[in-house]
């Protein structure tokens, strides 16, 4: 799903998210493991405020595992509970639930000390479009879902999904807008599919990605798109893209090939690449991937 974001939409999304947040104990901030920095909403901290949260780096199957580990550590060092998951293939879901329980444990202990019986953990999922919110809700619920009825005082569109013995999950996620601060962030969001494809030209995306991958792991490009290091030595990136277009039997249809290349990246066919360098990895040029 893609949305065009205008200031009015942003204000409304923010208001809705804050409204939902008031109903839950804890929030799962869902981000894309390939772009852990760029897939965070710019005002997320302001929106979440002091509410408890767990940061889940989704689509870990598509990201560089080493970079993902470093990103998880970075968030942890900032004081956040963080975990990598792959909602699509049901990986890390049990661990995510455990992390949520762990984050909530002090609250329940405090309440127990006051003689208050522990209740269900109410949670919601929050993130930018296409990051995997609906997929995660489905994985959370699994097969044995039971929708509890609307409760008095709760907006009528809100439903709680009863999960396991101790969770209640809001059945609709909070949707926030992505960052649009600079061209590079826009590129990364478009390449990973977080913003509308037609906002940027496919060949611009493919060129950006080509340059990025040639710097890091050119073998994958050479092998997949039938070119050789020696023959492209003197070529500009647009020339390399055109050569790959021909080799892949796209004739001179540069745009169609560009689309194929972006598709290949999104499906993980080109390998696992993280496009946001982990913080503190300034010498990223030396990192060789797997
Ligand atoms: P939402 O807009 O945040 O609700 O995102 P969706 O749940 O609709 O997911 C967007 C796309 O990402 C879908 O094509 C999902 O199949 C895919 N997706 C979600 N989670 C994962 C994941 O962990 N790995 C991979 N490879 N794809 C995922």
């Amino acid at each position: 799903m893609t949305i065009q974001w205008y200031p009015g939409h942003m204000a409304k999304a923010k208001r809705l998210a804050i409204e939902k947040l008031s109903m839950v104990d804890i929030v799962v901030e869902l981000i894309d493991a390939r772009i852990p920095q760029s897939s965070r909403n710019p005002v997320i901290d302001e929106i979440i405020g002091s509410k408890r949260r767990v940061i889940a780096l989704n689509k870990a199957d598509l990201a560089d595992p080493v970079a993902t580990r470093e990103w998880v550590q970075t968030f942890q060092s900032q004081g956040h509970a963080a975990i990598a998951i792959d909602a699509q293939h049901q990986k890390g879901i049990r661990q995510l639930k455990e992390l949520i329980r762990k984050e909530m444990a002090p609250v329940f202990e405090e309440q127990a000390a006051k003689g208050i019986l522990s209740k269900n953990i109410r949670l919601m999922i929050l993130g930018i479009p296409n990051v995997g919110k609906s997929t995660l809700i489905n994985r959370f619920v699994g097969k044995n879902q039971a929708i509890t009825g609307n409760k008095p005082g709760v907006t009528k569109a809100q439903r709680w999904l009863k999960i396991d013995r101790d969770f209640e999950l809001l059945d609709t996620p909070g949707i926030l807008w992505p960052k649009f601060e600079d061209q590079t962030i826009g590129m990364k969001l478009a390449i990973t599919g977080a913003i509308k494809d037609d906002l940027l030209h496919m060949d611009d995306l493919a060129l950006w990605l080509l340059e990025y991958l040639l710097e890091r792991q050119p073998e994958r490009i050479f092998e997949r798109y039938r070119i050789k290091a020696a023959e492209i030595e003197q070529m500009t990136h647009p020339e390399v893209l055109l050569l790959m277009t021909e080799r892949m039997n796209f004739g001179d249809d540069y745009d169609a090939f560009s689309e194929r290349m972006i598709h290949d990246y999104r499906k993980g066919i080109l390998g696992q690449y993280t496009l946001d360098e982990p913080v503190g990895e300034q010498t990223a040029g030396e990192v060789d991937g797997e």
Side-chain angles (χ1 to χ4, degrees), residues 132-162:
K133 297 180 296 300
S134 313
T135 309
L136 179 59
I137 289 175
N138 284 321
R139 293 301 176 263
F140 249 127
V141 170
K143 292 194 189 92
N144 308 313
Q145 75 125 328
I147 297 177
T148 64
N150 294 326
K151 307 225 162 131
V154 175
T155 318
K156 65 177 180 313
Q158 305 292 349
R159 276 172 178 273
W160 295 97
L161 304 169
K162 181 85 176 71

Side-chain angles (χ1 to χ4, degrees), residues 35 37-39 178-191 195 208 276:
I35 47 170
Q37 190 68 43
S38 305
S39 60
K179 293 176 176 165
F180 295 107
E181 282 136 39
D182 68 38
Q183 184 78 15
T184 307
I185 293 176
M187 278 293 174
K188 293 174 180 179
L189 287 165
I191 289 170
I195 59 176
W208 191 93
D276 280 344

